[in-house]
Amino acid sequence: MEESGRSRRRQSSSQAAYTDIDGTVTGYNTIFEFLRFDAAERSCTADAEEFLAGLRSAARNGVPRAATNARYFGWWRGRSVREVAQTGERWADLQAESPDEWPFLEPVASLLDAHSLSGRKLVAVTASFEPALVRVRRRWPRIELLCTAPRVADGRYTGDVERPLVGDAKALAVAAHAAEHNVDLIGSFAYGDHHSDLQFMALAGESLLLAPASMG
């Protein structure tokens, strides 16, 4: 009877493909390029480049990735959540018009297609945020997002975040997602392109670490 119960539990569990996005699924940094698109629409490109240069400089000077990720969201301080979501839709429209300029990366894109066809859950594990991921969601409509969550007050971004989804935070998010959704991690897959992804990738039975792309 006990073995039968274990079999039922195994049969009721699901499998998933957990994947980083920037440099793993997309050939560009989603949050940096989304910021540039927003700045171009608002005619403040020089301000955007100065802001991004500051983030890159901080990273070179040893500021942790979690801290620079949190600083990024200062760009959106005071902006309407609805307005930024609409900007994300327009950016995705632009990307769709020039797919060669905004590539999905192989082999992970095709692997995700195959996982989706096989019925596995697709789960993005990323320091990005929802408005910058519209095009990813259009290709894989069922993909679930574990991402950095900006804080909101009165329908506007505060410029702060709940927790940057970087390093060990990714692993904690994957473990919590698997527990909540009864995911068999040993039977699941994980993809990333940076050593900070290794913590969440180690939770899956099969994983693939890609050579990091050059983005900025």
Side-chain angles (χ1 to χ4, degrees):
M1 292 294 291
E2 183 178 355
E3 183 59 34
S4 176
R6 287 175 181 168
S7 297
R8 284 196 296 272
R9 283 194 295 273
R10 283 195 298 268
Q11 291 169 2
S12 64
S13 65
S14 60
Q15 295 179 343
Y18 294 96
T19 185
D20 172 61
I21 297 297
D22 297 342
T24 302
V25 173
T26 61
Y28 51 91
N29 185 300
T30 55
I31 54 176
F32 279 23
E33 296 305 326
F34 180 48
L35 186 153
R36 287 182 170 122
F37 176 79
D38 173 69
E41 283 200 328
R42 298 191 299 124
S43 301
C44 57
T45 296
D47 291 340
E49 292 304 327
E50 181 178 358
F51 181 82
L52 293 175
L55 296 182
R56 290 193 295 270
S57 176
R60 286 194 300 270
N61 290 328
V63 175
R65 285 169 64 101
T68 56
N69 181 245
R71 289 182 189 180
Y72 165 86
F73 289 93
W75 177 264
W76 306 102
R77 183 177 290 112
R79 300 283 298 281
S80 160
V81 172
R82 180 179 180 182
E83 172 206 339
V84 175
Q86 292 170 343
T87 302
E89 295 288 343
R90 291 193 299 275
W91 188 46
D93 291 340
L94 174 70
Q95 291 172 301
E97 293 171 1
S98 305
D100 292 340
E101 296 179 22
W102 304 98
F104 290 112
L105 297 179
E106 298 296 350
V108 176
S110 291
L111 290 170
L112 294 180
D113 290 340
H115 288 311
S116 181
L117 287 172
S118 70
R120 293 188 181 93
K121 290 180 177 291
L122 301 184
V123 186
V125 189
T126 175
S128 188
F129 74 135
E130 290 196 35
L133 298 169
V134 174
R135 184 163 174 258
V136 172
R137 299 194 82 169
R138 287 183 183 179
R139 173 154 178 173
W140 297 285
R142 295 191 300 108
I143 198 167
E144 301 174 42
L145 299 183
L146 302 178
C147 56
T148 298
R151 288 179 178 162
V152 174
D154 298 323
R156 294 183 178 275
Y157 290 117
T158 68
D160 300 317
V161 300
E162 297 297 332
R163 180 183 61 179
L165 209 73
V166 175
D168 61 348
K170 285 188 174 185
L172 291 171
V174 167
H177 177 274
E180 180 180 356
H181 297 280
N182 196 26
V183 173
D184 172 18
L185 283 172
I186 298 302
S188 294
F189 302 78
Y191 306 105
D193 75 314
H194 190 268
H195 64 81
S196 64
D197 294 325
L198 291 173
Q199 294 179 66
F200 88 81
M201 293 171 65
L203 300 175
E206 295 190 36
S207 63
L208 175 64
L209 182 69
L210 289 85
S214 175
M215 297 179 295

